[in-house]
Amino acid sequence: MSEKQIEKLARKEALQLGSYNAGMSDDAVRETWQVDSISRLASNENPLGASPKVAAALRSALNHSSIYPDSASLKLRQALAELTSTEAGRIVIGNGSEELLKLLCLAFINPGERVVTLEPSFGLHQIYPQMMGAQVTLVPVDPQMEFDLPAWQQALSQPAKMVILSNPSNPVGCMLGREDFNRLIEQVPQDCILVIDEAYYEYCHHLSDYPDSLSVLKTLPGPWIVLRTFSKAWGLAGLRVGYGIASDDALAEVINRVRTPFNINRSAQAAALAALQDPDHVTASVALVTEQREQMRQQLMSLGYQVAPSVANFLFFRTGGDSRDLANKLLARGIIVKPWREAGYTDWVRVSVGSPEDNQIFINALRDIYATQCG
Ligand SMILES: *Cc1c(COP(=O)(O)O)cnc(C)c1O
């Protein structure tokens, strides 16, 4: 079959869809750049890995590999309901929270409907709505790389089917504080689905200005969902578990109707349940990352880079040139970062806060690259 025939058969939304910038695997980097050791600073993973309890749970789940997992992920939903003080009927589980973004779009977005999200943004906040034929409105951050409330208020003055807002934002890391959060959600049109993506919740929920979204959103008349994930602070990115807390059972049920019945495999369910038994692991991870992040911020600033504010486990900094050039120089040293490719931000790089060793390797490499340029 020719490319032309495929083009004729496929939906135009599928043909025109941008691809998600998932970054290179360690193996691909080793092969392409002929390096032995790799510093993974591109995917915001937990440098401490998962809790040791997870490995034990996985070993025991292996004995049941021939048996289908619980399609309802009931135990996990009950545990998450307890964790978030909600009811299990309002909890939905996804193959990563990214699957929940896709399911939300699949369940709600008709071609031509408007979706409002942030710019620069997590790629899938644009890609999944576009897959359904949505018109995506992007709301940029302000020059200080903070949420631009007036711009949001203006964007929300028009009808919209869905608002997708990550707080803190990815890739910037900035946080929408309590007061601004309250003002923003008041503007969300009534028949609009409000999606708050809190993938980095664990890194900032203790900050006094971080909005307690679940208690504030309760007062909203319209539908909403808060998305969180086991991929970041819980250290389970490889197993793919995310969850949503929906405004009501009916919203959770629609999402369940469009998902594949066994979207969370047996090992992933067991691992997430085990991870929840070890909240101290998250606390320790967050403490390490916070301390390392502030050290890296200082080091980047002393090298002359503009660094965006961040309360998450990554930093977004401006390279002053095409970010791919710097990213390639780092790749040649085995360091993987994420050069941003979105128009207007192609001179920015997102770097994850990794282990103290990897962070030091990264900073040393930058100093070295800088010295080579000047010498
Ligand atoms: C990492 C991330 C996710 C996706 O995480 P999953 O691994 O799919 O659970 C979702 N949203 C944002 C903003 C992220 O940074």
Side-chain angles (χ1 to χ4, degrees):
M1 189 167 272
S2 74
E3 202 180 309
K4 275 253 159 351
Q5 277 173 295
I6 297 290
E7 280 178 17
K8 243 173 69 190
L9 293 168
R11 292 173 57 233
K12 73 172 190 309
E13 289 83 1
L15 288 174
Q16 292 165 356
L17 211 54
S19 58
Y20 178 65
N21 176 10
M24 288 173 98
S25 70
D26 290 14
D27 285 345
V29 172
R30 265 191 206 98
E31 206 163 296
T32 312
W33 299 89
Q34 303 292 314
V35 286
D36 299 323
S37 69
I38 303 275
S39 300
R40 290 184 59 80
L41 299 176
S43 302
N44 303 344
E45 294 147 343
N46 186 336
L48 296 180
S51 156
K53 290 190 195 300
V54 168
L58 284 173
R59 275 191 293 274
S60 125
L62 280 182
N63 298 326
H64 308 281
S65 293
S66 61
I67 301 169
Y68 278 101
D70 174 16
S71 163
S73 299
L74 187 60
K75 277 193 187 152
L76 182 54
R77 282 178 32 242
Q78 284 168 338
L80 288 169
E82 194 173 318
L83 181 74
T84 58
S85 309
T86 49
E87 306 88 53
R90 288 170 51 200
I91 305 275
V92 282
I93 317 276
N95 194 265
S97 55
E98 49 113 326
E99 188 196 23
L100 293 171
L101 288 164
K102 185 178 195 170
L103 297 176
L104 280 160
C105 291
L106 203 54
F108 289 103
I109 307 295
N110 295 297
E113 285 180 328
R114 187 163 168 268
V115 173
V116 182
T117 193
L118 192 65
E119 179 187 37
S121 73
F122 179 59
L124 300 173
H125 290 171
Q126 291 185 55
I127 291 173
Y128 288 144
Q130 282 162 350
M131 181 184 75
M132 303 310 296
Q135 293 295 114
V136 179
T137 300
L138 298 173
V139 184
V141 288
D142 72 13
Q144 283 72 49
M145 306 300 279
E146 298 273 12
F147 281 90
D148 186 341
L149 199 69
W152 271 94
Q153 288 177 319
Q154 201 193 336
L156 295 179
S157 66
Q158 311 281 320
K161 184 63 176 282
M162 190 179 281
V163 169
I164 307 178
L165 181 101
S166 57
N167 192 27
S169 96
N170 174 10
V172 176
C174 59
M175 174 177 94
L176 188 66
R178 279 175 191 268
E179 208 173 300
D180 284 353
F181 183 83
N182 292 346
R183 278 160 62 194
L184 189 147
I185 64 170
E186 272 169 23
Q187 303 264 320
V188 174
Q190 269 236 357
D191 288 326
C192 174
I193 297 130
L194 175 60
V195 181
I196 307 290
D197 186 339
E198 294 185 344
Y200 302 93
Y201 169 82
E202 290 79 5
Y203 296 97
C204 52
H205 69 103
H206 51 280
L207 301 178
S208 59
D209 200 31
Y210 188 70
D212 180 359
S213 56
L214 293 179
S215 70
V216 176
L217 290 167
K218 265 202 297 233
T219 62
L220 271 197
W224 52 265
I225 186 165
V226 172
L227 303 180
R228 292 183 188 157
T229 180
F230 282 92
S231 296
K232 309 287 160 58
W234 297 94
L236 298 185
L239 288 162
R240 319 301 306 125
V241 192
Y243 62 100
I245 306 124
S247 48
D248 45 71
D249 292 16
L251 176 50
E253 274 168 32
V254 179
I255 296 170
N256 278 324
R257 230 168 277 152
V258 294
R259 70 177 170 88
T260 63
F262 302 105
N263 61 335
I264 315 301
N265 70 59
R266 179 173 287 281
S267 298
Q269 290 186 35
L273 271 168
L276 289 173
Q277 299 306 309
D278 194 0
D280 290 350
H281 181 73
V282 172
T283 310
S285 307
V286 169
L288 173 71
V289 160
T290 307
E291 179 254 323
Q292 288 289 307
R293 182 188 67 217
E294 292 316 306
Q295 191 176 322
M296 276 168 88
R297 184 202 306 282
Q298 291 306 325
Q299 290 165 324
L300 284 169
M301 283 175 16
S302 72
L303 281 163
Y305 294 111
Q306 179 189 352
V307 186
S310 170
V311 296
N313 65 342
F314 52 83
L315 289 169
F316 199 49
F317 67 98
R318 192 173 204 168
T319 66
D322 187 329
S323 59
R324 251 184 318 209
D325 295 341
L326 180 63
N328 283 338
K329 286 180 183 146
L330 291 168
L331 276 172
R333 293 164 163 83
I335 304 159
I336 319 177
V337 296
K338 202 165 229 192
W340 214 253
R341 300 318 308 154
E342 227 172 323
Y345 299 92
T346 54
D347 54 343
W348 290 79
V349 163
R350 193 194 70 194
V351 61
S352 307
V353 179
S355 67
E357 297 73 36
D358 282 337
N359 300 337
Q360 197 55 55
I361 289 170
F362 164 72
I363 293 291
N364 289 346
L366 283 183
R367 289 196 180 121
D368 191 36
I369 291 165
Y370 182 79
T372 317
Q373 276 165 353
C374 296

